[in-house]
């Protein structure tokens, strides 16, 4: 038997992470934990806490240990089958909401496709943030698709989930907006062997020798699945902004916009396809 405060003081990981793991073990809030430092843990609770602490000390991502991560203010279940949602991807939501809100008159119920949805965080968030949107989320991994389905259910998000290798199962469906946070890290990038990335699905992270294989496929195919004037928005790597813009231009996209993440790195590339694209010159740069 040992007290909560003693266990926390003894753990060899960051204090905030230790507290988070303990809230998970006890099924209690941070506030409860702070007020009950003198209470004793049972053998079973101590054992489970020690197990999580030691896995964390060996580098396992905190999101996989607790089983969830917050994205755009909502909690998404995550497992090692899916990429852990990241704050920079919230930017894609902001941009999608801003652009679709601007064209509400034309497309009151915009059709949106999220490619490679993983946990479902992008597609589900868009379905909830854009009332009336008809969202389809595509995912090639059956295990990820199942998780996305259960996240959609838990958050009461209306969307269609499809097992699909990018556009492969979408026949001739067309959309007003296609979004993707695809894998974009070069296969030999040493970052893949560091930190959280070691534990995440490589298929969700790495994409060919230069990291652009998936984005190339998506950009090349997107025109067949976009309405005239429809948007394509993709997240990309820290040094890929120029290459992604060039790919989009070559595929017939115009009105290219690029957005920086909170670290000031160009992270999102958005563009419009076909008719109307040339009139949508809102080349706003936000952030530093
Ligand atoms: N931004 C992530 C990272 O570098 C990668 C996410 C992705 O490949 N889509 O950690």
């Amino acid at each position: 038997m040992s007290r909560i405060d003693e266990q926390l003081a003894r753990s060899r990981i960051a204090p905030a992470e230790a507290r988070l793991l303990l809230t998970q073990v006890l099924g209690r809030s941070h506030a409860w934990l702070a007020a009950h430092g003198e209470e004793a843990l049972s053998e079973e609770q101590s054992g489970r806490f020690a197990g999580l602490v030691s896995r964390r000390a060996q580098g396992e991502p905190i999101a996989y240990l607790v089983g969830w991560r917050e994205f755009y203010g909502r909690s998404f279940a995550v497992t090692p089958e899916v990429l852990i949602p990241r704050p920079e991807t919230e930017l894609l939501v902001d941009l999608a909401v801003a652009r679709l809100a601007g064209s509400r008159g034309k497309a009151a119920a915009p059709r949106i496709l999220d490619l490679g949805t993983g946990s479902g965080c992008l597609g589900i968030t868009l379905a909830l943030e854009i009332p009336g949107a008809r969202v389809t989320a595509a995912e090639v991994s059956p295990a990820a698709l199942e998780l996305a389905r259960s996240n959609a259910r838990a958050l009461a998000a209306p969307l269609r989930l499809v097992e699909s290798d990018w556009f492969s199962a979408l026949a001739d469906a067309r959309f007003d907006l296609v979004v993707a946070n695809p894998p974009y890290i070069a296969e030999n990038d040493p970052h893949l062997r560091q930190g959280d990335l070691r534990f995440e699905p490589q298929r969700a992270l790495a994409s060919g020798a230069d990291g652009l294989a998936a984005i190339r496929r998506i950009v090349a195919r997107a025109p067949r699945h976009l309405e005239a004037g429809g948007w394509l928005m993709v997240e990309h790597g820290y040094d890929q902004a120029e290459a992604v813009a060039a790919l989009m231009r070559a595929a017939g996209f115009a009105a290219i916009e690029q957005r920086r993440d909170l670290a000031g790195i160009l992270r999102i590339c958005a563009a419009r396809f076909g008719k109307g694209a040339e009139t949508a010159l809102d080349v706003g740069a936000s952030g530093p």
Side-chain angles (χ1 to χ4, degrees):
M1 295 286 250
S2 101
R3 288 162 51 127
I4 283 177
D5 48 10
E6 290 166 2
Q7 293 253 348
L8 286 172
R10 237 188 283 133
S11 91
R12 300 154 289 132
I13 60 173
E17 293 186 347
R19 285 194 297 273
L20 181 57
L21 292 177
L22 195 50
T23 61
Q24 199 68 21
V25 166
L26 300 178
R28 300 284 195 171
S29 67
H30 282 278
W32 186 93
L33 212 58
H36 294 79
E38 76 293 346
E39 287 203 17
L41 297 180
S42 71
E43 288 292 323
E44 190 266 341
Q45 289 166 335
S46 298
R48 264 197 299 144
F49 179 57
L52 288 173
V53 167
S54 108
R55 286 167 64 189
R56 181 62 192 137
Q58 281 162 50
E60 270 190 66
I62 197 93
Y64 290 154
L65 295 176
V66 297
W68 62 274
R69 172 56 47 95
E70 187 181 299
F71 182 81
Y72 220 81
R74 299 182 182 90
S75 174
F76 286 81
V78 295
T79 69
E81 307 285 348
V82 300
L83 191 78
I84 299 166
R86 290 164 165 65
E88 53 267 34
T89 307
E90 294 179 333
L91 225 99
L92 227 161
V93 176
D94 285 340
L95 192 57
V97 169
R99 289 296 158 268
L100 288 189
S103 64
R104 193 149 282 165
K106 276 185 288 162
R111 277 158 305 160
I112 300 174
L113 171 65
D114 173 20
L115 288 172
T117 197
S119 63
C121 65
L122 261 180
I124 289 170
T125 302
L126 291 172
L128 293 170
E129 293 295 323
I130 305 175
R134 289 166 288 168
V135 180
T136 300
E139 171 57 52
V140 71
S141 150
L145 196 67
E146 207 34 61
L147 183 69
R149 203 180 298 288
S150 107
N151 276 325
R153 215 178 295 123
L155 293 165
L159 83 166
R160 188 166 74 100
L161 286 147
V162 183
E163 187 175 329
S164 181
D165 183 8
W166 304 127
F167 294 102
S168 72
L170 293 166
D172 53 2
R174 286 189 185 264
F175 301 87
D176 301 297
L177 166 67
V178 174
V179 298
N181 174 20
Y184 52 67
I185 300 174
E187 262 160 12
N188 62 357
D189 189 317
H191 290 105
L192 292 169
R193 296 186 297 281
Q194 295 166 13
D196 283 5
L197 275 64
R198 287 170 294 167
F199 295 86
E200 293 183 289
Q202 293 299 294
R203 179 156 66 180
L205 290 168
S207 193
D210 62 356
L212 287 166
I215 292 180
R216 262 188 215 103
R217 272 185 72 185
I218 290 168
V219 173
R221 191 81 185 179
R224 289 190 229 180
H225 294 277
L226 280 168
E227 298 290 356
W231 289 94
L232 174 62
M233 300 182 181
V234 297
E235 181 176 322
H236 57 70
Y238 70 97
D239 58 353
Q240 294 171 338
E242 253 178 67
V244 174
L247 285 171
M248 287 194 183
R249 241 177 264 118
F253 286 86
I256 291 171
E257 287 185 64
Q258 305 206 287
R259 289 296 157 110
R260 294 179 193 278
D261 63 18
L262 295 173
I265 294 165
L266 286 171
R267 184 60 73 183
I268 308 287
C269 191
R272 298 189 86 175
F273 185 71
K275 186 171 74 88
E278 59 289 338
T279 61
L281 281 173
D282 183 356
V283 194
S286 74

